[in-house]
Amino acid sequence: MAIIIDTGGSSGRTYSDLLTQVAKWMNRGDLTAFIPDFIVNAEARIATDLRLRRMIVRTTLSVALGSPAPLPEGWLEFKTISLNGDDLDFMPMRQLTGRFRDCSGLPACYSIEGEQVFFGPSPDGAYSVDVSYYKQLEPLTSSGSNWLLTAKPNLYLYAAMAEASLFVKKPDDANYWGGLYSGIVEALKNEDAQATHSGSTLRVRAG
């Protein structure tokens, strides 16, 4: 796969633009039909690597008597999970099961198995659990675009190029594009951390 650095042409700010841009940068007409797969894999890579404040959403889990709750739509990772204003502690599933095997009451802990959230003690009634979580971005095939593609089209481009390089078994090219992708990921994380704490003053506690 030839590596072509060309900043002209399409900006890649929509799914259609991105398809065109990846095809142009790959310079491989025989791989055009595979580009949607490269983008799907790129989205999976991004979902694994990014946790930004704009990905956080809030919702409520409805918990029934003695039952787990399904993970919220598009769940990647919990940021907070609380009941009646008190944070619930995470506990590995084996430990949760062993500790609360025959206990019911107001949940104080939680664990995750499969696509469900389990609680300990087992809920003794119906509860509403408040959560904030990182939600995976809707696939570009259905959304057409999103705020991340608009802000950082090269993030998707480099991730897709890395996936294309893996597909054609060119590890050096994959490392090259993966390095460019990782650089943007780290920059986004730094920008996000700075924005999150902007306007706040660092306080040092004495003693």
Side-chain angles (χ1 to χ4, degrees), residues 16-99:
S16 179
D17 292 337
L18 184 59
L19 288 170
T20 300
Q21 195 173 31
V22 173
K24 180 179 180 180
W25 284 46
M26 286 195 313
N27 196 31
R28 286 279 301 266
D30 59 320
L31 296 179
T32 301
F34 297 98
I35 294 176
D37 293 334
F38 301 152
I39 293 176
V40 168
N41 291 340
E43 290 177 309
R45 184 184 289 230
I46 291 169
T48 298
D49 294 337
L50 278 188
R51 299 290 184 271
L52 304 177
R53 71 187 189 283
R54 289 190 64 176
M55 299 169 68
I56 297 173
V57 299
R58 295 182 180 275
T59 191
T60 300
L61 302 181
S62 297
V63 182
L65 171 67
S67 300
L71 286 169
E73 180 185 4
W75 178 87
L76 292 172
E77 179 183 324
F78 283 124
K79 182 172 175 62
T80 62
I81 177 167
S82 63
L83 178 58
N84 297 336
D86 294 323
D87 291 339
L88 302 185
D89 296 323
F90 175 80
M91 188 175 289
M93 191 64 193
R94 179 177 295 182
Q95 185 177 349
L96 186 84
T97 302
R99 180 173 176 180

Side-chain angles (χ1 to χ4, degrees), residues 126-196:
Y127 293 99
S128 294
V129 177
D130 297 315
V131 303
S132 63
Y133 70 100
Y134 293 96
K135 183 177 181 180
Q136 185 169 357
L137 296 172
E138 188 176 353
L140 292 175
T141 52
S142 55
S143 67
S145 188
N146 59 45
W147 61 266
L148 184 59
L149 180 63
T150 299
K152 301 292 182 181
N154 49 352
L155 179 72
Y156 283 87
L157 174 63
Y158 296 158
M161 292 296 291
E163 295 296 334
S165 299
L166 290 172
F167 181 78
V168 297
K169 297 179 174 56
K170 290 193 174 182
D172 289 342
D173 288 359
N175 289 336
Y176 172 79
W177 295 113
L180 294 177
Y181 161 82
S182 296
I184 298 175
V185 167
E186 290 306 310
L188 277 169
K189 290 179 179 178
N190 291 334
E191 290 172 9
D192 196 66
Q194 292 175 6
T196 299

